[in-house]
Each structure stands twice: as C-alpha cells, then as structure tokens.
Amino acid sequence: MKTIWKGAISMLFIVVLLITYTAFTGTVDPRSYFFPLLQQSQQVNFSSAPCYSQVPLKVYMYELPRRFHVGMMNRRRSEEGTVNARNLPPWPRNSGLKKQHSVEYWMMASLLYEWSGNDENREAVRVLDPVIADVFFVPFFSSLSFNTHGHNMTDPATEFDRQLQVDVMKFLRQSSYWQTNQGRDHVIPMHHPNAFRFLRDQINSSILIVADFGRYSRIVSNLTKDVVAPYVHVVDSFTDDFSPNPYETRTTLLFFRGRTARKDEGIVRAKLKKILVGYEDVHYENSYANDESIKVSSEGMRLSKFCLTPAGDTPSSNRLFDAIASHCVPVIVSDQIELPFEDELDYTKFSIFFSVKEALIPGYMVNQLRQLPKEKWLEMWKQLVKISHHFEYQYPPKEGDAVNMIWRQVKHKLNAMKLAVHRNRRLKIPDWWGRR
C-alpha cells in the first residue's frame, strides 16, 4: 500500500514539475489542465464587428470611355480623357432615387482614390499591372444606364442602354484577361434589378454586385459567386444620436412611409396597410419619394422604435438601409431576402424578422413588438449605432465603410472563383455535375 502511495506522489510531482516547466517556457497554458472550459471560451470569440485583413485585394480596373460611367452623370458635358482622383465628378445631389443604386460609382471612386502611404485599412488597391491582379473591375454604370436611358423600358432611349451593354461585351471579349478565365475573375456591378438586362446571361460567370436575386435566374446570379451590396440610403445619417433615453424619445412603435402598391413579393405592403390601421402608435402611410417626403421619412424614423421594411418589387428594399442609418430597429418582412455582409454581421442582433405569413396575422406583429423588453430593444439600438458605419458610402472611403465591406466580400469569393477556374480547365464535360 505504501509502495502505491509513494508511486502516486512521485507521479504527481512529475506532472507538477512538467506543467511548471512548460508554463515557464511558454509552450502550454496551465489553465488548459485545470480550466478547459475557461480556455475554450477565451479562444472562441465571435465578435459582431468584422475583422479586417491586412493584405488588400489587388484590383485591375479597365479604362473605359466616359460614356460608360461618369459621362452619364451629366450628359450636358462632353469631356473626354482618363478619369482620375482629381477630375472625378462628385455624385450629383439632385439625383433622387438614382442614388440608391449608385454602388458602381463608389466602387470606382474607391479605386481612383490616391491613398497616402501604406494604408492598412483599405480592403482593395488598384494595380496597373493586370498580371498581378486578383480580380478585374469593369467600370460600367449599368444601373445608371438603365435609369438614364429608357427608364420606362419601352421608349426609344432604351436602345442606348442596350447598345452600351453590347459595346461593353465587345470590349471584354477582345480582352485576353477576360478570355483566360471566361470572365470568372471579373467584378461587374449590376445593382439595379433591371441593370444589364439585355445581355446579363453573357456575364453569368463573373462576380456580380447585386441588391438581391429577385430578378435573376440561378444560372445568372447566385449567392455562391456574387456579392449582395447594400443600397445607398437616401435619408440623412443619424450622426448625433446621443439621446440618454432613446427608448422614451422614440414615441412611435412602428413606422412605415413609402409606396404601398408594389409587384411580386411587394404586394404584402397593400395587405399590411389594412392590418395595421387603427393603432395609435403605428404610422403606416403611402407616399412617393421626393426631397420633402424623404425629409419627413427621416424625421419619422428617428422618432420610432421599429421601422417596417417589407419587400419591394424584389425581396430587398432601400427602406432597410434607411432604417439602419436612422438607428431604427428594422422589422423585416421578406421571405426571400438575402442580406449584405451576413457572413460577418448577425442581423438578429439589431433586426426583427417576420415571415409574410406571420406578418399578415391581424395583431400578431404589433403584439410581438410591444412585448419586446425595453432592455432588449436598447441592446439592438446600441448595435445599430455600432454597425451603421458599415452601410455608409463615402469618398474618400474609410475603414469598414460600405465600399470597403463590398471589396472584402469580393475577396471572400476568390476561393470559389479559383475552384471554378481550375475545374473548368480540366473538365471535358463542364456541366456534368448538373446532370446528376
């Protein structure tokens, strides 16, 4: 018995000596022996804030004539020549709702901006040598082209939009860099649901920057290869939201102001109008966007706890990003919506979700919102204040803003793109997987 006891003591002494030595030399954390759950909780840290990479994405931007991009911003001016940081025109203030799909402009501007020194906060850097590029950016303002040339889709000006698409594709097919990988490493903004609508099947291998997938076939656009980008919000950013009692100062429970007659999934808006009538603390109003209406909406959102963001003509709506900019907790009613940056942001921390079926149950949605504890709402409001800068488009670009987040998402697509490129080079029957 004494022999066993002496052996146990000797073994314990050896273990303690080993732990002491390894802790001293830094080869092991002694807490892992005694507090394994503590060590695990400290290692696994899912932060709500994105973690920025140190190596920026290398982007080669094609040189296209002005008529494909900034020339559409002011057609009265007939300037030619290369666009650079010094002669880049600002986005026009009187552009109205065209602004919400101006993602293409901000992406181009971010590449033109001349960074001072080695700024580690940028997610993408323009390179002039296409050989070293990770991706190729096509600066064709396809959304602005639709909004400028034949917005009604039936008038003669629509032909200008179609011709620009034809000319862009002719240019790309002549590019050896497009030919190398059939455009898989090319980034093409088409944020408006009707952008590039005539020839979009010819760019279905590229990385597309979209608002949602409502009007695209799965063959053209999908979540695996494409990037969902936020709309450019049209209300002013709430930069001085320093109220000590935001829950009390926001006296409206639920706010909506916008078009109630919409197509497709957006027909839920007209149904919601009937269901939400009669509540004193619910504001639901049909309106059309103009400068005065946008100002009224901005004031209403800032005085509301929740902002209703139902689907529009497609699953997404700019109203979601107006709500975020106003620090008004979004109430999202859209069964097929895909959200920007969702691999880095947990929307459930600052948004409420209802299915269309749930939202159309009389009284259900309002009762659920009223039962949400004040403490929970304050947590969501604080998250909105914290993450709203990720949805800001600006020039010069800033760390973690919308355009930097988009370039970061493009970087996330590189592995899938490279997989497609490598498989395509060796497969004799490229689509055999789809035939299973």
Side-chain angles (χ1 to χ4, degrees):
M1 186 68 180
K2 290 183 179 181
T3 302
I4 297 175
W5 178 248
K6 289 181 179 180
I9 293 176
S10 299
M11 183 62 68
L12 178 62
F13 176 79
I14 293 173
V15 171
V16 172
L17 182 63
L18 176 62
I19 293 174
T20 304
Y21 172 76
T22 53
F24 180 78
T25 58
T27 57
V28 72
D29 185 349
R31 291 171 297 179
S32 64
Y33 288 91
F34 304 106
F35 306 106
L37 294 179
L38 173 61
Q39 184 192 40
Q40 183 180 24
S41 66
Q42 290 181 340
Q43 288 178 341
V44 182
N45 179 24
F46 295 101
S47 173
S48 60
C51 178
Y52 303 106
S53 60
Q54 297 299 315
V55 181
L57 184 74
K58 296 186 291 293
V59 184
Y60 178 82
M61 181 166 62
Y62 284 107
E63 291 283 356
L64 292 177
R66 286 174 174 257
R67 66 188 179 96
F68 290 100
H69 39 77
V70 298
M72 286 184 276
M73 293 167 59
N74 188 345
R75 288 182 288 171
R76 296 178 181 178
R77 303 178 66 174
S78 56
E79 298 175 77
E80 292 299 334
T82 303
V83 181
N84 53 51
R86 290 172 291 281
N87 62 19
L88 174 70
W91 183 263
R93 293 184 177 181
N94 60 346
S95 59
L97 289 181
K98 292 181 181 179
K99 176 183 177 182
Q100 62 184 341
H101 294 297
S102 60
V103 176
E104 53 211 9
Y105 169 84
W106 304 103
M107 293 186 72
M108 179 181 181
S110 72
L111 296 177
L112 291 173
Y113 180 64
E114 297 175 353
W115 296 83
S116 57
N118 295 322
D119 195 314
E120 297 180 350
N121 296 328
R122 53 181 167 172
E123 291 292 338
V125 57
R126 185 186 184 186
V127 296
L128 300 180
D129 182 1
V131 175
I132 65 172
D134 297 315
V135 293
F136 296 79
F137 180 68
V138 182
F140 171 42
F141 291 3
S142 58
S143 296
L144 186 58
S145 178
F146 171 75
N147 279 324
T148 303
H149 304 301
H151 177 69
N152 294 325
M153 301 176 67
T154 56
D155 56 38
T158 303
E159 177 60 25
F160 288 99
D161 182 29
R162 190 194 71 82
Q163 189 59 49
L164 283 176
Q165 295 170 42
V166 171
D167 294 344
V168 165
M169 291 310 306
K170 181 179 179 181
F171 174 88
L172 290 175
R173 290 194 192 96
Q174 293 173 350
S175 166
S176 59
Y177 304 106
W178 174 273
Q179 296 170 14
T180 300
N181 296 317
Q182 291 76 51
R184 286 184 172 86
D185 52 1
H186 283 53
V187 179
I188 303 178
M190 40 188 289
H191 198 258
H192 192 287
N194 292 322
F196 228 119
R197 64 192 180 95
F198 293 105
L199 301 179
R200 59 177 53 165
D201 60 318
Q202 298 181 26
I203 56 173
N204 65 336
S205 294
S206 300
I207 301 173
L208 307 179
I209 311 299
V210 301
D212 58 41
F213 302 99
R215 291 186 182 170
Y216 308 121
S217 68
R218 189 174 301 178
I219 297 175
V220 171
S221 184
N222 58 74
L223 197 56
T224 301
K225 71 177 184 68
D226 299 329
V227 172
V228 177
Y231 290 62
V232 182
H233 61 80
V234 297
V235 302
D236 292 334
S237 302
F238 201 176
T239 57
D240 56 347
D241 189 7
F242 305 125
S243 171
N245 300 301
Y247 189 84
E248 284 74 20
T249 56
R250 293 175 177 258
T251 54
T252 300
L253 176 70
L254 181 62
F255 181 89
F256 174 88
R257 197 170 188 275
R259 297 279 297 276
T260 57
R262 306 266 50 162
K263 296 175 288 186
D264 300 325
E265 194 175 345
I267 61 175
V268 70
R269 294 189 180 190
K271 297 178 180 179
L272 287 171
K273 183 179 180 180
K274 298 177 181 179
I275 290 176
L276 295 174
V277 68
Y279 293 100
E280 293 184 0
D281 54 355
V282 174
H283 184 99
Y284 197 99
E285 178 184 357
N286 181 51
S287 70
Y288 293 83
N290 54 49
D291 290 344
E292 181 60 28
S293 176
I294 292 173
K295 181 180 179 181
V296 173
S297 294
S298 180
E299 294 172 351
M301 286 183 167
R302 295 183 183 189
L303 293 174
S304 302
K305 295 179 178 67
F306 301 96
C307 286
L308 186 61
T309 62
D313 290 341
T314 61
S316 64
S317 168
N318 190 31
R319 194 154 283 95
L320 167 60
F321 308 103
D322 285 344
I324 292 174
S326 305
H327 304 159
C328 178
V329 175
V331 175
I332 301 174
V333 180
S334 180
D335 291 342
Q336 299 180 26
I337 194 171
E338 294 294 344
L339 298 165
F341 323 139
E342 199 167 10
D343 60 342
E344 301 195 48
L345 298 178
D346 183 355
Y347 279 75
T348 62
K349 292 185 177 181
F350 55 86
S351 305
I352 303 291
F353 291 84
F354 291 98
S355 68
V356 171
K357 182 178 180 180
E358 290 173 332
L360 293 181
I361 299 175
Y364 178 77
M365 185 164 57
V366 172
N367 290 335
Q368 290 295 310
L369 296 179
R370 284 178 174 166
Q371 292 173 16
L372 188 80
K374 173 183 176 180
E375 293 73 21
K376 178 63 176 178
W377 183 90
L378 286 172
E379 289 178 8
M380 303 181 87
W381 173 80
K382 289 177 182 177
Q383 278 294 316
L384 282 170
V385 175
K386 181 180 179 180
I387 60 88
S388 59
H389 70 285
H390 295 314
F391 299 88
E392 295 292 340
Y393 290 90
Q394 54 208 338
Y395 185 81
K398 297 181 181 179
E399 177 184 359
D401 68 2
V403 75
N404 268 301
M405 292 289 283
I406 291 172
W407 284 123
R408 182 170 171 80
Q409 290 293 305
V410 171
K411 195 185 304 183
H412 291 175
K413 303 296 180 180
L414 289 187
N415 287 338
M417 180 269 291
K418 290 177 181 177
L419 172 63
V421 167
H422 296 164
R423 291 186 74 253
N424 187 66
R425 287 175 181 172
R426 57 91 174 169
L427 288 179
K428 299 299 182 180
I429 306 176
D431 61 345
W432 73 270
W433 185 265
R435 298 180 182 181
R436 293 186 65 178

